[in-house]
């Protein structure tokens, strides 16, 4: 599956653009981050930072080898009914930290169209507090669907060291398999 990253407009070095969603029509769970970090943007891959726990956790929960190549990892998620995307389509952010996202530059993704095209999604899992806060503030007020369940999960980012891998694994296991 090909991912694209749009080039930043001239003179705006901190402008970042997210990826297209990874989803099949039958996806039932949507995992949302806030905006890909620098390592992910450079590689045009979700959760590309080597210390991000997303792929090891997803592999453990869903039963695939976390070292397989990226397209195979995406296929494993899709086979399990899990979709990936981010709350933001674009923003200005120097570096990778969610705390550095400039609030006046946020452009949310089009969730109305996405959810209309993926009606089997009934659960949205937030990969970290910033993704949940951005969604609830900038997306939720615009949605008509009331049947969605929301789960706030500990961030898999290496910047979120407060929770152990085991604690993250337990929370994500319940979210992805329930």
């Amino acid at each position: 599956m090909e991912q694209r990253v749009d080039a930043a407009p001239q003179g705006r070095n901190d402008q970042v653009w997210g990826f297209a969603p990874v989803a099949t029509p039958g996806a039932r769970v949507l995992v949302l981050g806030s905006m890909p970090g620098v390592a992910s943007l450079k590689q045009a891959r979700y959760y590309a930072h080597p210390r991000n726990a997303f792929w090891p956790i997803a592999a453990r929960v869903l039963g695939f080898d976390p070292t397989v190549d990226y397209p195979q990892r995406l296929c494993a998620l899709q086979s399990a009914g899990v979709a990936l995307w981010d709350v933001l389509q674009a923003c200005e952010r120097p570096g990778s930290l969610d705390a550095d996202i400039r609030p006046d530059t946020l452009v949310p993704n089009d969730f109305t169209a996405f959810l209309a095209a993926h009606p089997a999604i009934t659960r949205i899992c937030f990969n970290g507090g910033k993704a949940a806060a951005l969604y609830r503030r900038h997306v939720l007020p615009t949605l008509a669907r009331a049947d969605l369940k929301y789960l706030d999960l500990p961030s898999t980012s290496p910047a979120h060291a407060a929770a152990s891998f085991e604690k993250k694994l337990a929370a994500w296991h319940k979210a992805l398999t329930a």
Side-chain angles (χ1 to χ4, degrees):
M1 171 162 292
E2 186 177 318
Q3 298 293 325
R4 78 174 169 79
V5 178
D6 294 330
Q10 288 283 345
R12 300 192 62 176
N13 295 334
D14 294 338
Q15 183 76 27
V16 290
W17 296 83
F19 306 140
V22 173
T24 60
R28 57 182 178 70
V29 176
L30 174 60
V31 172
L32 291 176
S34 54
M35 172 61 74
V38 172
S40 293
L41 292 168
K42 284 182 180 176
Q43 295 181 44
R45 296 177 177 200
Y46 282 100
Y47 305 108
H49 192 287
R51 289 191 354 249
N52 191 299
F54 178 79
W55 291 113
I57 287 171
R60 258 263 204 115
V61 171
L62 302 174
F64 65 90
D65 180 350
T67 65
V68 298
D69 67 9
Y70 183 69
Q72 288 179 289
R73 285 181 272 159
L74 293 179
C75 285
L77 286 182
Q78 291 173 321
S79 293
V82 177
L84 289 181
W85 207 16
D86 288 299
V87 176
L88 300 179
Q89 173 186 0
C91 67
E92 288 185 22
R93 180 196 64 208
S96 293
L97 295 178
D98 282 346
D100 293 336
I101 294 173
R102 295 185 182 127
D104 59 330
T105 67
L106 304 176
V107 179
N109 276 308
D110 184 353
F111 285 90
T112 300
F114 177 81
L115 292 169
H118 299 87
I121 290 177
T122 57
R123 185 178 326 132
I124 295 180
C125 300
F126 300 109
N127 191 347
K130 185 68 168 192
L134 288 169
Y135 181 91
R136 287 185 173 109
R137 179 164 186 181
H138 300 283
V139 177
L140 190 57
T142 68
L143 292 181
R145 280 187 61 181
D147 64 326
L148 298 169
K149 293 184 176 71
Y150 298 101
L151 291 170
D152 294 16
L153 297 170
S155 173
T156 59
S157 167
H160 181 64
S164 68
F165 179 84
E166 291 74 24
K167 182 177 179 180
K168 291 178 185 184
L169 177 63
W172 279 87
H173 186 277
K174 185 176 179 181
L176 296 179
T177 59

